[in-house]
Amino acid sequence: LALAPVLVGVSGATDVSHSASLAEARGCIWLTPVDRPLVIAETLIHEASHLKFFLVEDVAKMVMDPDPPRFEVPWRSDRRPLRAVLMGLHAWVRVLEWLDTLEGSHYAQAAQERAELLSQATVAAAAIVEGADGLTTCGQALVEALCRRVRQR
């Protein structure tokens, strides 16, 4: 199955972007378009990270089954399974690395403020996955790489 990038605009709030991507709809990102370039860019990077994660999972699972919701994360009000925490960490690390590239640009202050907020969530997620039971060998390798990147920030 070829990966064909598709953006689907959905109606919703005009001041914040809501988004989604699904393993079953490869290459498709749903988002509420907002008139804030940084928000749209962050949303695309975040959801593209999930799509990349799904592709890797076609070859190697990251977590063992069963994977019940058991972890509290700063970015959601509901408990999340280990796989979802790992997916979130993967996405937030990529977003943070992109925000770092905006230093010295017109968007530097906004990027720095957003990075400070996301850094807290990323550190919390790293602490969860680093000591969690249920990771496969591939999942452990990803956790090690992501946690190393979190500590290097």
Side-chain angles (χ1 to χ4, degrees), residues 12-13 50 72 92 115 153:
H50 291 335
E72 292 182 21
W92 293 128
R153 284 199 84 251

Side-chain angles (χ1 to χ4, degrees), residues 21 46-47 49-50 53-54 57 61-93 121-122 124-126 128-129 132-135 139 142-143 146:
S21 53
H46 181 100
E47 295 302 338
S49 297
H50 291 335
F53 191 94
F54 299 146
E57 282 188 317
K61 288 182 64 167
M62 299 292 169
V63 299
M64 295 178 239
D65 291 324
D67 185 24
R70 57 187 178 184
F71 299 105
E72 292 182 21
V73 293
W75 61 87
R76 296 276 302 238
S77 60
D78 55 335
R79 288 185 173 272
R80 308 300 292 155
L82 180 58
R83 178 178 174 268
V85 180
L86 183 53
M87 281 181 62
L89 177 60
H90 179 255
W92 293 128
V93 165
T122 304
I128 291 169
V129 298
D133 291 329
L135 292 167
L142 179 59
V143 165
L146 292 173

Side-chain angles (χ1 to χ4, degrees), residues 3 23 26 28 32 34 38 42 49 52 66 89 110 115 126-127 138 140:
L3 181 64
R26 300 300 169 88
C28 188
T32 54
V34 295
L38 281 180
E42 177 183 323
S49 297
K52 184 177 182 178
L89 177 60
C138 187
Q140 289 171 347

